[in-house]
Amino acid sequence: GGKGRTEVFAPEMHAAIVDRLALEADLRRALAEPSRDQFAVRFQPIVRLTDGAVVGVEALVRWTHPVRGALSPATFIPIAETSGLIVPLGAWVLREACREGARWARSRPRGRGVPPLTLTVNLSGRQLQAPGLVEDVAAALAESGLDPASLVLEITETVIMQQTEANLVTLHALKALGIRLAIDDFGTGYSSLSYLQRFPIDILKIDKSFVDGLSRGGSDAALARTIIALGDTLALRCIAEGVEDDAQRTHLQALGCDYAQGFLFARPLPVAEIDALLVNGTAL
Ligand code: C2E
Ligand code: CA
Ligand code: CA
Ligand code: CA
């Protein structure tokens, strides 16, 4: 490069960076559109294993890029997080989800055996650290009329463990709104058990990797058993994630896990399909 400067240039590296920057710009533009119609929220049922009743739904965002088509959250959520765009995107998902949740609460048949429906929304670390989160959540609740008791916010274990004091203050402020908190991907981080007592958590979501390990036996199955027992001891609800077959379901029930989510029951569904599912009875 002259003047003693050396530059290492790997074309693939360059291409990846350009690609990422292009996607970030597209994401910014899509979020600036008042209609926000490149985005959609899908809802995946959470079921009670004893009777198959749908007890909740998790909101999962989708982005249909005008040129590239449907993009996986695994591609665009990390870009949204590093760029900070997850803050407006997350606020949008929250408002959309709360609006649907309030509608379901009004239309769901009431009666014996029909559990109240819980609405779950993912929260990224960037959102937790952004000023105004508590106000955003309060506004989404007020605007929609959703009962705060039916809203669950999910935070991953790794996020919950960072910057603990600031996070702790925010989590308590969120809890004061009357909502519940879940730890997502539980078991994958480097957890110290003491934070489970310090943080105002209500629900543990057992990561798919442990569910996958159930049939192999050995250490993954032992860990799944331990997590479920831990949840019982601390009076936390356990939800197993990524349940794909009947053997896993049976195994989880035998271990005392009462709730699950996964392709065995349903994929994340568009609003119309969840509507039909919730109206036409609760059993899957
Ligand atoms: P997550 O929160 O752990 O969500 C569960 C993911 O597992 C979803 O992927 C869901 O479609 C998938 N899944 C559910 N059941 C099964 C199963 O039986 N088998 C398999 N193989 N997969 C299953 P999705 O929708 O692609 O989302 C991926 C991740 O992106 C989410 O993981 C979450 O971390 C993030 N994400 C999605 N939507 C949002 C959002 O609105 N806000 C934030 N902050 N993150 C989001
Ligand atoms: Ca989640
Ligand atoms: Ca998860
Ligand atoms: Ca139990």
Side-chain angles (χ1 to χ4, degrees):
K3 287 196 178 165
R5 246 174 51 214
T6 307
E7 282 173 25
V8 179
F9 181 73
E12 335 61 84
M13 216 163 90
H14 179 74
I17 292 167
V18 168
D19 194 55
R20 200 185 163 96
L21 287 173
L23 266 188
E24 183 185 319
D26 293 345
L27 189 59
R28 194 179 302 277
R29 215 168 297 127
L31 278 165
E33 279 177 21
S35 66
R36 305 245 164 119
D37 53 11
Q38 290 179 31
F39 303 103
V41 184
R42 294 274 166 99
F43 296 90
Q44 186 177 37
I46 298 170
V47 303
R48 186 163 62 194
L49 288 174
T50 47
D51 59 357
V54 177
V55 296
V57 290
E58 176 174 3
L60 294 157
V61 70
R62 296 291 178 264
W63 180 22
T64 308
H65 187 280
V67 177
R68 302 184 191 207
L71 294 176
S72 159
T75 306
F76 69 85
I77 291 288
I79 295 174
E81 285 178 339
T82 49
S83 63
L85 291 170
I86 192 68
V87 175
L89 179 60
W92 179 80
V93 172
L94 185 69
R95 277 203 309 279
E96 292 288 304
C98 285
R99 204 187 55 219
E100 302 298 350
R103 197 169 54 75
W104 290 321
R106 286 192 299 270
S107 63
R108 190 163 164 88
R110 260 164 276 260
R112 285 196 311 136
V114 183
L117 195 75
T118 291
L119 173 72
T120 299
V121 179
N122 291 287
L123 213 61
S124 93
R126 268 311 267 275
Q127 287 174 276
L128 201 60
Q129 278 145 28
L133 171 69
V134 180
E135 290 77 4
D136 280 354
V137 175
L141 288 167
E143 213 174 274
S144 61
L146 182 74
D147 178 3
S150 57
L151 180 63
V152 172
L153 296 179
E154 283 190 7
I155 304 151
T156 60
E157 186 179 44
T158 26
V159 163
I160 249 179
M161 300 211 48
Q162 297 155 2
Q163 309 202 357
T164 46
E165 285 318 317
N167 282 356
L168 195 56
V169 171
T170 308
L171 294 179
H172 276 291
L174 288 171
K175 284 286 291 179
L177 298 175
I179 66 148
R180 282 175 294 162
L181 296 173
I183 303 185
D184 206 353
D185 306 341
F186 187 75
T188 58
Y190 301 92
S191 19
S192 102
L193 293 179
S194 63
Y195 84 85
L196 277 180
Q197 285 201 305
R198 288 183 58 220
F199 283 78
I201 296 303
D202 307 283
I203 297 163
L204 298 182
K205 295 195 75 171
I206 305 174
D207 191 68
K208 183 179 190 324
S209 54
F210 301 109
V211 173
D212 288 340
L214 279 175
S215 54
R216 287 197 296 275
S219 62
D220 277 343
L223 280 170
R225 191 178 311 121
T226 305
I227 292 170
I228 293 163
L230 182 72
D232 259 353
T233 308
L234 297 174
L236 300 171
R237 171 178 290 193
C238 282
I239 303 175
E241 289 193 284
V243 178
E244 291 181 347
D245 60 51
D246 239 352
Q248 292 171 336
R249 174 209 187 122
T250 310
H251 208 135
L252 284 162
Q253 262 193 285
L255 294 178
C257 177
D258 301 320
Y259 300 92
Q261 198 177 341
F263 295 169
L264 174 64
F265 310 104
R267 292 184 176 255
L269 301 170
V271 173
E273 284 176 48
I274 278 283
D275 272 0
L277 191 78
L278 294 176
V279 170
N280 300 335
T282 54
L284 275 168

